[in-house]
Amino acid sequence: MTRLAFLATIFSFALAGPAFAAKPPVYTVPGSDLAAGGYDVVSFFEGEAMRGSAEYTTRYNGAVWQFNSAENLKRFEKDPAAYAPQYGGYCAWAVAQGYLAKGDPRFATVVAGKLYLNFNGNIQAKWSRDIPGQIANANANWPGILDR
């Protein structure tokens, strides 16, 4: 590689710096690529949140998703966008406020066929006071918020 080509490569990485700062599209457990805290996201739509198993996993949108049965894994693989939490599993209330925070599957709500996660019980209570308004705000912020 010539010196000029090397400098051009370094310069292009410097210009692309903000792209490297973007947050991942799916919130994962710190230090891993496990989505939804290891919970089976399909189970939320069946009325009972269940932990997934390493036996039934798939990759979607850069993360590993676990399920408690082969049937739920197949359902997710058929239409992952139908089951994956909104806003990549980040806290729905935080996204509505214009920032990112972890979503915790223990504080999940299914609204109009979509799964939303919140940071904790207190935040979920705030989010629940005006769910349509929070969803409208979060939709306006998503996915651009990942680049902030």
Side-chain angles (χ1 to χ4, degrees), residues 6-147:
F6 175 76
L7 291 174
T9 301
I10 297 298
F11 184 70
S12 69
F13 281 119
L15 289 178
F20 291 110
K23 303 290 187 291
V26 174
Y27 175 79
T28 58
V29 173
S32 81
D33 55 357
L34 187 60
Y39 276 77
D40 176 343
V41 293
V42 174
S43 71
F44 288 94
F45 295 88
E46 298 167 341
E48 183 179 354
M50 300 179 78
R51 302 232 7 119
S53 166
E55 184 177 352
Y56 306 108
T57 64
T58 191
R59 290 193 72 81
Y60 170 68
N61 215 7
V64 172
W65 301 79
Q66 293 184 335
F67 303 89
N68 69 348
S69 69
E71 180 182 333
N72 281 3
L73 169 61
K74 287 178 187 175
R75 288 172 66 189
F76 182 85
E77 288 180 325
K78 184 176 179 182
D79 190 3
Y83 297 103
Q86 299 301 292
Y87 321 120
Y90 289 95
C91 173
W93 185 84
V95 173
Q97 306 312 304
Y99 66 93
L100 296 174
K102 76 172 188 142
D104 187 326
R106 295 174 301 166
F107 304 100
T109 308
V110 175
V111 177
K114 295 181 187 260
L115 177 61
Y116 299 89
L117 306 183
N118 286 116
F119 182 79
N120 62 28
N122 290 334
I123 295 300
Q124 187 177 39
K126 288 181 181 182
W127 184 76
S128 295
R129 290 182 194 132
D130 179 17
I131 291 174
Q134 300 295 347
I135 290 172
N137 289 341
N139 286 346
N141 290 333
W142 188 262
I145 196 171
L146 294 171
D147 295 326

